[in-house]
Amino acid sequence: MHSIELLPDEATERVVRRVWRSIADEGLPSQAGHRHPSNRPHLTLATADVLPAVTRAALAEALDALPLPLHLTGLLRFSGRSNVLAWAVRPDAALLRLHERVGRILREADGERRSHPLLAPGRWIPHITLGRGRDAVWAGPDERWLPPGAAASGRWTEARTYDSTSRTTARLGPDTR
């Protein structure tokens, strides 16, 4: 499985990593404990079983829209196979257009592709994961780990793919750091 991800600017990444560290310092599950070299703050736009060269080229063209504004708001909690604590991303019109375009490119590349339902337009809840775990519990609605005001702004400056089989990443589109 391949995920298509947006990466924040360096300043925003540092803010998110500080939040990861604050959560970990309290002994709670945090992405700070995920030591794989590919681990970094990101926003997942879509997933695909395969990404042939022609699809990668179309995605790279769509990602010419970068950089885009990035707006982080409050905390979110998701439950399922794993519990997830996340920092909500407030999507603006440009981010929603990019999300829809990436989804359309992937659907056109594989008409029978079954998109992850939670990443579909209208169901997608954009976020940056702060922590995850099967039995993880974060006291709520406490936002003590977030900066004052619980909001941060920056830019989405890069995009990549993550291959969950090989556990590798590859850059997509322009690098606008």
Side-chain angles (χ1 to χ4, degrees), residues 62-128:
L63 291 161
D64 279 343
L66 296 176
L68 291 176
L70 178 162
H71 307 285
L72 297 170
T73 59
L75 290 178
L76 296 171
R77 287 169 181 77
F78 303 104
S79 58
R81 286 189 323 239
S82 287
N83 292 322
V84 174
L85 177 69
W87 203 344
V89 171
R90 187 182 76 231
D92 61 12
L95 181 60
L96 291 171
R97 278 191 305 273
L98 178 61
H99 176 252
E100 193 281 326
R101 186 170 179 198
V102 165
R104 187 174 59 247
I105 289 166
L106 295 174
R107 282 189 307 278
E108 290 170 359
D110 181 5
E112 296 187 28
R113 176 183 173 272
R114 289 185 188 14
S115 175
H116 189 294
L118 295 178
L119 297 173
R123 293 203 57 205
W124 182 52
I125 301 173
H127 65 277
I128 293 177

Side-chain angles (χ1 to χ4, degrees), residues 41 51 122 130 140 143 151 164 167-168 171:
L51 286 177
L130 301 174
E143 296 191 359
S164 63
R167 298 186 73 198
T168 58
R171 193 175 150 279

Side-chain angles (χ1 to χ4, degrees), residues 19-72:
V19 171
W20 286 359
R21 177 59 29 221
S22 294
I23 294 167
D25 287 349
E26 291 191 30
L28 297 168
S30 164
Q31 289 301 102
H34 182 56
R35 298 288 185 207
H36 194 272
S38 68
N39 183 42
R40 64 183 287 200
H42 67 274
L43 171 68
T44 301
L45 290 175
T47 59
D49 291 331
V50 295
L51 286 177
V54 67
T55 303
R56 285 178 185 272
L59 288 170
E61 184 179 316
L63 291 161
D64 279 343
L66 296 176
L68 291 176
L70 178 162
H71 307 285
L72 297 170

